[in-house]
Amino acid sequence: MNVSVAPISVGLSQARPISIAVLAMGGQGGGVLVDWIVALAERRGWYAQSTSVPGVAQRTGATIYYIEMIAPDPSRPHRHPVLSLMPAPGKVDIVIGAELMEAGRAMLRGLVSPDRTLLIGSSHRSLAVIEKTAPGDGTADASQVYEAANVAANRFIAFDMAEIADSTGSAVSAVLFGALAGAAALPFTTEDFEATIRAAGVGVDASLRAFAAGRERAAAELKQDPKIKPAAKPPLAKHYPKLEPIGDAGYDALVARALHLPAELHGIVAAGLQRVVDFQDVAYGQDYLNRLEAMPRDALGLMQAFAKYLAIAMAYDDVIRVADLKTRPGRFDRVRREVRAGDDQVLAITEFFHPRIEEMAGLLPPRLGEKLERNARLARLIDRGRKLRTTGPLAFLLLYGVAGLRRFRRGTLRHAREMRHLEDWAQRVRTFAAHDLALATAVCEARRLVGGYSDTHSRGESKFDKVMRAADRLAGRPDAAEWVQRLTRLALKDADGAELDGALRTIETLFEDT
Amino acid sequence: MAERSFAREVEDLKLGAGDEFRGEGILAITKALLECGVSYVAGYQGAPISHLMDVLADAQDILSDLGVHFENSASEATAAATLAASVMYPVRGAVTFKAPVGINVASDALANLTSGGVTGGALIIIGEDYGEGSSIMQERSHAFAMKSQLWLVDPRPDVASIVKAVHDSFELSEASNTPVMLEVRIRACHVHGRFATRDNVRPSFPLSRALEQPSRDTNRIVLPPASYLHEKEKIEKRWPAAVEFIHARGMNETFAGDIDDIGIIMQGGMYNGVITALREAGLADIWGETRIPLYVMNVTYPIVDAEVIEFCRGKKAVLMVEEGQPEFIEQALHKILRNADIPAKLHGKDLFPMAGEYTAQVMSQAIGAFIRRWRADVLPDAARAPNIDRVEVDGKIRALAEVVPPRPPGFCTGCPERPIFSAMKLVEKELGPHHVAADIGCHLFSILPPFNIGATTMGYGLGPASASAFNIPAGKRSISMMGDGGFWHNGLTSGIGNAVFNQHDGVIVVVDNYYSAATGGQDIPSSRADNRSRSTKHPIVEAVKGVGATWVRQIDRTYDVTRMRDTLREALTTEQKGPKIIVASSECMLNKQRRVKPLAAAAAKRGERVVRERFGVDEDVCSGDHACIRLSGCPSLSVKPTSDPLKDNPVAAVDNSCVGCGHCGEVADAAVLCPSFYRADIVSNPTAAEVWFDRLWRRMIGALQRRRAGRRIMFTQETA
């Protein structure tokens, strides 16, 4: 048995290690950052210990790394420090979140403490699966992370490090390392940091660029008045076009007519008008205004909603529109920018179409279309995926031709169906508007359930129809509008509509009770 | 080839006396094995000991220079059976796998090995996968040591202590003729630290001598009457020898302190946590000085009774810090103290939680409670009554629980397994839900959103076996999954062979991604890579047919969702009886990118024609319903806000991490989803003809576009 002699008379050392927790997602370079931090400390003769629990979490899951470091004690030259292998809530000096919600997770785990923790977070979002799969907007509210960080951390530094990484051709880890240097929370010089990156020897130049940018930005943030707290980027504002003439006589006449509507509506009406005229022609724009003007114009909330969803309903997604959007001037350049193709590179674009008999028959006059739609042999012939290389001449001409069918659109089966569905909805809105403006508005907004293509479209439409039937049933009740809003919200939450069906059953019980 | 290269770390294996090693715990163990003169090493990969296997695979040259034989075992059972070489011959051997699942698989060999006993040192390095980050059921390996009577070493979790434990364990094994398990917890496996190295040692007894001059002793073979003798020998000879060695060598450590009427006993692996908790309470310092006496069990089985008695004598109370359940050590201490009439009060699971990891918080609470109970007078004021007002802070943080999304691991960008489950989703829409028996491997991520597929998992390679009971006439068939790793581990016999023999009528999907991917991309028999020291390229389909399966389909590109779906549908509906086996093959994208990316970059640099593929979404065509994501979950397929006032929902977007696997397009096609996807082929160093035609088409297309634009109203498009 080893028995060490206890230096009871000698007091305990008061030295404390510097503790750093890094929260990252698998594949984000968290391991690289941790290796750098350890190498940095060791470069200055410090003891450093890092641990992690990667496991399967390296496959895109959330991972936590933990580092402790301490300078050697000259009075105890042969003693090694006993460092912890896991962070203790409230006892971490520096917490690094490689993504905004990971910074949030650090706080949830209690790692961030007002009395000591510097929280460095990248403000960019990398969405979790559950945020992406909601049919509506399932994105988490970033501002709450900021609100919490501003009180939970001793100091909070946040900026978009993914953007900097992108512009410097490096990774978030290098920017974070820079932010750590810029925050001046470790007793090491910028030269030490840079030498560490050089010694690691992988992607040195890009890493140094990203490091410098991160360091400068963090240093600038620190110089700011601490009373100015970091805030979440405001959500992307909707861009409303101006309701003004553009030099086309037909369109300008529509504008002149629309200007008679209340000024509050001008933005959304301009957007709507442009969409429907772009979809079809000026006469279609007149149809739009006719329908709009049939509504009670002083009910602003209702008008706002109706102007929006009417435009969406009128400019439905059909084969012609898709072909048109895919063959427009400027599209290929936009794709070139998006996929970062250089000028010296050749870009080929392939589209993925899977038209069904419904889409094809939809292009025909109603009677013929309805007949062909029931032809199973034809359906089998058409129903398959087609890949079209639109940067080549043949596929382009094909789509260009389909887009040119626009002038026949009013005579198609699809148009007839869309208009029937639209009129049904508009009629319902008008009827409800006479007694219950709130319900009419809610019914307007339920229209957002309709959208997408083929299966998705039919599923959305069936959810919408369910909500409409419920609206009819609820009309007259004081809470009708509230119910329709709730139903719409639930329908957007999950794809198969289980929650919607649950709520519909609840509505049934409302009527049993009375 | 494993996904991580250890070419640089391998150099550290050559360090000698007077050098210092700096690095990960698991690599330090590897170095220690060479210092101990090990003759052979074998193992089966798996977190947290995969790196040990990977670094050895990368160190083949050093190993052969030293005369060390290294094997990638077919399973943990194979690895454990390898230790048979040390039964009759004085050769040291080490095997490694994750625990406790690896021990479960290896248990037959381990129990037989332990019964007969060993001559040369036999070390089993187990990566204890317990607590945060674990991917398996939460159990202890301790019970196995107790039931088979082999020794369990649980060193302090710093690199130097772990290395010392390797050296001591070989000697302990030889001194007591018993295999030794060296337990290293997940964080300790990945801990970065340093230790003073020694020279590597060539094994003194070459394995070739054993083959050329074989020896045998029936007393060492597990067959009556020898097996009865073995049990007696374990208790009468080997156990006392082990206790004697552990004590003489000082494998367990005692740290004295001035507050000596209480004390703390712990598993070695708990030491750093205990010191940190004591330090926070002002009772220890960072250099390991402590005011409370500590007894550190670096060997947790067997217990050295005399040391425990010695430590507890004269104390009012002691605390046993023992992670996991049941509390085997605490129970044993009660017996030891009672038999020795030591009155010290023993605490343990009354202050610690019975189940779960001893996190920093748990450790600090339990140790705090222990000291407050017996020596509150030694606690500084702050530790007695912590006093920070956290009302506002806590409120805002609690609110985050509703905001911060869970982020479980999932399929990587471009994973070839994703389309298999997309296809299953599509079949589910047609034929309704099926009972799906899942298996261990990356494909188990199917149980999470967006797929939500898979009902049970029974162990590596046991997916098809776990559907055995459903071999009955019914309206639907069962589907069972198995990875290529699990297939070669045992699934060929336990799953396929069993299904053929019992005429199982279900569907078996073998996911073949060319590697044992979940454990870090190690090669297996069906790997397609050239491996200079292993025999690869043995097709799974051949093996399946070899055991008698007749309905076998090979799909060579899993990304073909339509074909995948059709094949699944056929398997679920065909009249043919017996197992329907689909082998779905495509290379693990993580490993493929690692392999291909540098090659492509180099080729582009040399001026060769290189095509990069990636996908994109036309924002104005996307309706924001996210149906594509619900069939994919690819990290590079996300959503982004749009400034279009007529769009309520964020639209789909593909980011630059896209590797162009084609899944989005295939799903959009197979599911008849949406035409907003496009594939961009970006050609670097295009041929002259390519450039010429490209220019021609662009001019022609541009003219057509201008023509139509001139005939309609064009609004300026604002991009988001």
Side-chain angles (χ1 to χ4, degrees), chain B residues 328-346:
Chain B
F328 296 118
I329 304 177
E330 187 181 336
Q331 291 172 10
L333 292 194
H334 275 296
K335 171 178 175 279
I336 294 167
L337 295 181
R338 189 178 167 87
N339 285 354
D341 287 329
I342 302 285
K345 166 86 179 164
L346 178 63

Side-chain angles (χ1 to χ4, degrees), chain B residues 630-651:
Chain B
R630 287 191 291 278
L631 280 169
S632 162
C634 177
S636 72
L637 175 59
S638 189
V639 298
K640 67 171 185 191
T642 164
S643 63
D644 184 345
L646 298 179
K647 286 202 163 131
D648 289 307
N649 302 328
V651 292

Side-chain angles (χ1 to χ4, degrees), chain B residues 133-190:
Chain B
S134 166
S135 50
I136 54 169
M137 76 296 283
Q138 300 295 283
E139 292 185 354
R140 301 181 68 172
S141 301
H142 198 98
F144 196 90
M146 299 193 340
K147 74 113 182 140
S148 281
Q149 298 298 359
L150 74 165
W151 318 138
L152 185 60
V153 175
D154 183 355
R156 288 200 274 138
D158 66 79
V159 168
S161 299
I162 294 170
V163 165
K164 178 178 181 296
V166 173
H167 285 272
D168 290 346
S169 295
F170 275 115
E171 289 185 52
L172 169 62
S173 175
E174 283 154 3
S176 59
N177 301 110
T178 305
V180 173
M181 289 203 290
L182 174 68
E183 173 184 15
V184 196
R185 288 178 179 73
I186 183 163
R187 289 174 207 272
C189 282
H190 298 297

Side-chain angles (χ1 to χ4, degrees), chain A residues 363-400:
Chain A
L363 288 174
L364 300 170
R367 235 183 254 160
L368 182 60
E370 273 168 8
K371 203 170 140 193
L372 288 185
E373 217 173 24
R374 289 189 294 269
N375 186 327
R377 252 183 64 202
L378 195 65
R380 269 199 305 279
L381 208 65
I382 287 179
D383 191 353
R384 66 183 50 156
R386 284 161 218 274
K387 293 173 193 169
L388 300 178
R389 175 160 289 199
T390 38
T391 40
L394 288 178
F396 183 85
L397 275 174
L398 176 67
L399 282 195
Y400 188 78

Side-chain angles (χ1 to χ4, degrees), chain A residues 83 134 308-309 354 448 453, chain B residues 272 618 621 626 648-649 669:
Chain A
L83 300 168
K308 176 175 165 186
Y309 291 105
H354 190 140
R448 73 180 287 190
Y453 301 82
Chain B
N272 287 35
D618 278 309
V621 181
H626 313 156
D648 289 307
N649 302 328
D669 173 357

Side-chain angles (χ1 to χ4, degrees), chain B residues 11-80:
Chain B
E11 291 306 307
D12 291 343
L13 296 181
K14 295 180 188 158
L15 295 174
D19 294 329
E20 187 181 59
F21 171 99
R22 289 184 184 188
E24 206 182 4
I26 205 74
L27 305 184
I29 292 177
T30 318
K31 167 67 179 138
L33 292 178
L34 301 183
E35 292 177 358
C36 290
V38 75
S39 285
Y40 61 94
V41 184
Y44 195 83
Q45 60 270 1
I49 54 82
S50 278
H51 287 178
L52 200 160
M53 298 298 293
D54 297 344
V55 77
L56 286 170
D58 284 345
Q60 296 274 349
D61 293 337
I62 300 175
L63 296 183
S64 49
D65 282 353
L66 280 170
V68 180
H69 176 67
F70 168 62
E71 286 219 352
N72 294 90
S73 307
S75 73
E76 294 87 346
T78 313

